[in-house]
């Protein structure tokens, strides 16, 4: 199985920055399309960003485009999400996810096979 562990969440003021990390198990990290999702209380899980196996293609939700940057280091089997200019609306539990069998990056959670436990991001106004 694939195990994913997020870290880096916390409390930050609006306009601030955080960097989330997701450490993945296994020697074949580059085989996975990786994504970030988030879920706020009372809301459904939503797509944030995704990155192709070698990082050549990235996709972002409109709500975070220009503020967030997804990246990966395959040598370290780690996925990152750099979050700048944070807004209170970004408050949510953030999850990383691995897609082992899709041909292209996907926005739908159903395409992802493994999920981390989540890390809380809280942005105060």
């Amino acid at each position: 199985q694939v195990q994913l562990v997020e870290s880096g969440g916390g409390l930050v003021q609006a306009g601030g920055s955080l960097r989330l990390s997701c450490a993945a198990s296994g020697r074949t990290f580059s085989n996975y399309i990786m994504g970030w999702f988030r879920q706020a209380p009372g809301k459904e899980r939503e797509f944030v960003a995704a990155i192709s196996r070698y990082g050549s293609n990235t996709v972002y939700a409109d709500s975070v485009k220009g503020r967030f940057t997804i990246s990966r280091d395959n040598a370290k089997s780690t996925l990152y999400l750099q979050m700048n200019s944070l807004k209170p609306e970004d408050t949510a539990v953030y999850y990383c996810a691995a897609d082992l069998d899709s041909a292209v990056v996907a926005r739908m959670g159903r395409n992802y096979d493994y999920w981390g436990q989540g890390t809380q991001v809280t942005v105060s106004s």
Side-chain angles (χ1 to χ4, degrees):
Q1 74 276 22
V2 176
Q3 293 184 342
L4 305 172
V5 180
E6 302 98 333
S7 62
L11 175 64
V12 65
Q13 290 185 316
S17 298
L18 285 173
R19 189 179 78 156
L20 306 184
S21 298
C22 173
S25 66
R27 299 182 295 275
T28 55
F29 181 69
S30 62
N31 288 347
Y32 316 147
I33 292 170
M34 298 295 298
W36 288 99
F37 293 78
R38 66 188 183 186
Q39 187 168 25
K43 299 181 66 177
E44 296 191 2
R45 182 178 60 199
E46 66 173 334
F47 171 79
V48 176
I51 188 167
S52 60
R53 291 173 171 86
Y54 289 95
S56 59
N57 188 32
T58 57
V59 178
Y60 296 91
D62 288 344
S63 59
V64 307
K65 191 173 184 178
R67 300 187 297 120
F68 291 10
T69 303
I70 188 171
S71 62
R72 65 192 297 161
D73 186 338
N74 287 348
K76 296 181 178 180
S77 296
T78 302
L79 175 75
Y80 303 98
L81 184 68
Q82 178 66 46
M83 305 185 294
N84 298 327
S85 301
L86 282 161
K87 304 175 180 180
E89 308 92 89
D90 297 318
T91 295
V93 176
Y94 283 71
Y95 300 90
C96 67
D99 177 359
L100 276 62
D101 52 20
S102 293
V104 297
V105 295
R107 295 173 178 264
M108 301 296 294
R110 70 171 73 97
N111 292 107
Y112 291 81
D113 304 291
Y114 297 96
W115 297 80
Q117 83 289 349
T119 186
Q120 176 71 48
V121 172
T122 302
V123 184
S124 62
S125 60

